[in-house]
Amino acid sequence: MRRLADFLCLGLVACLAACGAPPIPFDRGATPTVNTIGVLTPGWPQGPTVHTAAVPMGGFLPVALAAAAAEAARESRFTKVLEAERFDAAGEFRTRLVAAVRARGYQVVEVPATADRGKYLETYPTLPNPPDAWLDCVVPLWGYVAANALDDTPYRPIVGMVCRLVRAGSGTVLMRDTVVYNPLRTQPASGGAVVIAPDPAFAFKTSDILMADPKKAVAGLLAGFDSSAEALGGLLK
Amino acid sequence: MKPWAGLALVAALAGCRTPGPPPLTMLPARACPEAPVLAGTRQLAEARPEQVDIAADAPCIATRAGPALYAAFQLPPRRPAMVEIAGVPQGETLFAPRAMLLDASGRVTREIGPDAFMFRPLGLSALVRLRPEDATLVVTSDPAAAGKRMSRIRTQVQTMVLSAPPMIYYAQDTGSDTRQELMLAHNGRVSVTFRLLAENP
């Protein structure tokens, strides 16, 4: 089931980029009244993915079920590895997101929101001093993926993120885009997501090697968070 | 066509790579005007990508960083709208893009620098929201970037479907992890797409 969920998540990133939510570029020069951005707690999945995309004969149900069980075990083990490292993935990502927005000269107000959501907020908080705009981001998945189950395609970090900038009050969408670090699935050619190639320094031939080097595994994830947040900042210039 | 034949065709196509022109990293000496010549500007249509292959004999313009090749596009007047500007890889060659927007009098109103371009599926791409005064888009090569190499890891999964209705349906994913070597150049393929935006998406 988890394998199915991961597949759907991987598909979700592509889908959010492709269906119904084409990117909208931000024109900062034409929007001088946006100076303060309320960065909402990003939507965040329950745990990391450790996904193997292509399993030989994976189209047959018994093979798919066995692969799903193996994947669930890998993810449970990786979650424990990260817990032992006291790795707060959501916190690390949020810190980088805020820093990337601040680096573009905006004032930032961090505003709590539920992280347990797979979509944008439908309504935004009411504050005594509201920001000029809300930055609403959802991370459908993060973790590691290998393109196939053979040893020739290593596990590399993956991060998928959808974000929109919404003017406070009017609700006008000023910017909307998708950023995928290490996109595994082919994205639509036109109007597709920002795609970031993974850092070659973080490649693990097998999941056992990944689990055995937690410090490097965390560093790989942080590289993905850094690049994704930086790309988002670039979209707000 | 038999399903196996289809499968073989898909595999063959996946294995083919289109060779591109050799990357042009230095422009031969020639006189380039300081402003683009807008005669022969291509007209953009809504949601239809306009692709131009810029070669050594394309018109050139003198920029602060040196001579650059360019292509010019006439923007439809409807707003709100955006354009996607992309340098599209052709083999190893990737057009190093910059852009500028001109008003109806030909005055440059905005420059889109290289830091606005990020990789998207189409290539090295920038999305730009258009303003009412934007009349012409000029996409130029970036002399400061031409000659730079880029190496990118590409992980990909493709699904091949084998079907012989109504009984047989089988989908198999295949994954690959490869390195893509690119060189930014004055020449190469440029794609520009004009798209309308919803008033309040």
Side-chain angles (χ1 to χ4, degrees):
Chain A
M1 282 301 107
R2 183 63 193 273
R3 179 175 164 76
L4 177 64
D6 280 345
F7 180 80
L8 291 175
C9 275
L10 286 163
L12 178 65
V13 176
C15 187
L16 285 170
C19 358
I24 298 173
F26 183 48
D27 184 356
R28 188 174 185 179
T31 324
T33 52
V34 174
N35 297 305
T36 305
I37 292 181
V39 177
L40 297 151
T41 306
W44 198 256
Q46 286 186 334
T49 187
V50 186
H51 182 63
T52 304
V55 177
M57 310 303 282
F60 291 110
L61 185 60
V63 177
L65 290 174
E71 189 153 310
R74 275 199 304 272
E75 287 170 349
S76 172
R77 193 172 152 211
F78 192 52
T79 300
K80 288 179 184 143
V81 166
L82 296 181
E83 283 171 358
E85 285 294 303
R86 299 181 184 281
F87 180 58
D88 173 13
E92 295 285 357
F93 181 81
R94 185 174 175 177
T95 301
R96 283 160 174 76
L97 193 61
V98 167
V101 177
R102 224 169 241 146
R104 267 66 191 188
Y106 295 101
Q107 289 186 302
V108 171
V109 185
E110 291 187 63
V111 181
T114 177
D116 185 16
R117 59 191 164 101
K119 56 182 183 178
Y120 296 128
L121 289 176
E122 286 174 9
T123 57
Y124 291 100
T126 305
L127 299 179
N129 294 307
D132 302 319
W134 297 105
L135 182 63
D136 186 357
C137 292
V138 179
V139 175
L141 88 163
W142 61 278
Y144 277 84
V145 290
N148 69 43
L150 308 174
D151 284 353
D152 63 335
T153 64
Y155 284 88
R156 299 186 189 277
I158 186 168
V159 183
M161 168 173 75
V162 291
C163 287
R164 68 180 186 181
L165 185 70
V166 180
R167 188 187 287 282
S170 71
T172 302
V173 178
L174 301 171
M175 183 282 291
R176 180 173 63 208
D177 221 322
T178 304
V179 176
V180 190
Y181 182 88
N182 187 17
L184 201 56
R185 295 269 166 194
T186 305
Q187 304 278 319
S190 185
V194 174
V195 293
I196 306 170
D199 185 335
F202 302 104
F204 302 86
K205 197 169 182 183
T206 67
S207 60
D208 285 339
I209 295 172
L210 170 69
M211 310 286 175
D213 195 347
K215 297 230 176 315
K216 189 176 174 185
V218 165
L221 291 171
L222 292 178
F225 292 174
D226 278 336
S227 298
S228 303
E230 185 57 26
L232 188 277
L235 297 170
L236 297 176
K237 276 198 291 194
Chain B
M1 185 164 53
K2 289 203 164 63
W4 289 110
L7 195 64
L9 179 63
V10 169
L13 288 174
C16 291
R17 298 194 65 181
T18 312
L24 185 64
T25 58
M26 298 276 288
L27 290 181
R30 61 194 262 207
C32 301
E34 289 188 354
V37 177
L38 300 180
T41 300
R42 291 167 175 81
Q43 174 72 51
L44 293 174
E46 188 192 335
R48 190 184 309 154
E50 180 79 17
Q51 292 204 329
V52 181
D53 288 338
I54 294 183
D57 60 352
C60 72
I61 182 174
T63 71
R64 283 189 294 273
L69 303 180
Y70 73 90
F73 303 86
Q74 193 179 342
L75 298 165
R78 290 184 65 190
R79 302 289 184 273
M82 57 169 273
V83 283
E84 178 173 11
I85 309 157
V88 181
Q90 288 179 292
E92 188 197 24
T93 302
L94 175 60
F95 181 82
R98 291 182 65 102
M100 48 192 176
L101 287 155
L102 283 59
D103 65 14
S105 69
R107 185 175 61 93
V108 176
T109 53
R110 273 190 290 166
E111 294 200 29
I112 315 298
D115 57 347
F117 289 82
M118 301 181 187
F119 273 94
R120 292 181 188 262
L122 197 55
L124 195 50
S125 167
L127 308 185
V128 180
R129 188 188 285 249
L130 296 172
R131 298 176 188 169
E133 66 269 25
D134 295 330
T136 306
L137 170 73
V138 177
V139 182
T140 75
S141 62
D142 182 4
K148 286 186 181 166
R149 286 194 168 278
M150 305 176 95
S151 181
R152 293 169 51 79
I153 288 172
R154 292 207 316 177
T155 57
Q156 284 185 306
V157 176
Q158 285 160 336
T159 303
M160 287 192 287
V161 176
L162 178 65
S163 67
M167 295 298 290
I168 298 173
Y169 176 87
Y170 180 78
Q172 175 64 56
D173 286 344
T174 53
S176 63
D177 186 298
T178 55
R179 193 177 281 267
Q180 182 184 31
E181 304 292 342
L182 297 169
M183 182 174 278
L184 292 167
H186 284 288
N187 63 326
R189 182 163 294 170
V190 171
S191 172
V192 177
T193 309
F194 173 89
R195 244 183 245 112
L196 291 174
L197 295 171
E199 284 288 347
N200 190 5

